[in-house]
């Protein structure tokens, strides 16, 4: 990373920590992006996601998933379960990475 540490401490303040899409501090955004790339390399996660999407009997589109209703949510649940275990990441981190790679869009609430 190209930033300079502001002090000799190796921690950040509570107000600098946020969910992936809500982080505003440049260092936090950079750290999140680095972690996403490190834990879920683009070529690996893209290949795995597209393979699972293609093998889903429910998915109609094989290169992009728009989760917006019960039908597409059930497709997402199958893929989510496998990829969160494979990469050891949270669902939120996986959703963020898939959005970064333009593989999925999530328009659901309260599921």
């Amino acid at each position: 990373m190209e930033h300079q540490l502001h002090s000799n401490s190796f921690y950040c303040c509570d107000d600098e920590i946020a969910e992936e899409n809500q982080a505003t501090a440049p260092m936090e955004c950079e750290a999140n992006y680095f972690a996403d790339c490190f834990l879920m390399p683009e070529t690996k996660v893209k290949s795995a996601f597209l393979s699972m999407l293609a093998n889903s009997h429910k998915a109609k589109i094989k290169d992009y998933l728009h989760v917006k209703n019960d039908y597409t949510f059930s497709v997402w649940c199958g893929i989510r379960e496998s990829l969160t275990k494979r990469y050891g990441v949270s669902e939120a981190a996986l959703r963020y990475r898939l959005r970064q790679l333009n593989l999925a869009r999530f328009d659901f609430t309260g599921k």
Side-chain angles (χ1 to χ4, degrees), residues 97-111:
R97 186 65 169 145
L98 294 175
R99 282 192 305 265
Q100 277 181 327
L101 299 174
N102 294 315
L103 295 172
R105 178 176 165 192
F106 302 91
D107 291 323
F108 62 87
T109 58
K111 295 278 186 193

Side-chain angles (χ1 to χ4, degrees), residues 72-85:
T72 53
F73 184 75
S74 68
V75 172
W76 164 243
C77 287
I79 293 172
R80 172 195 67 197
E81 183 73 20
S82 179
L83 291 181
T84 55
K85 285 182 182 177

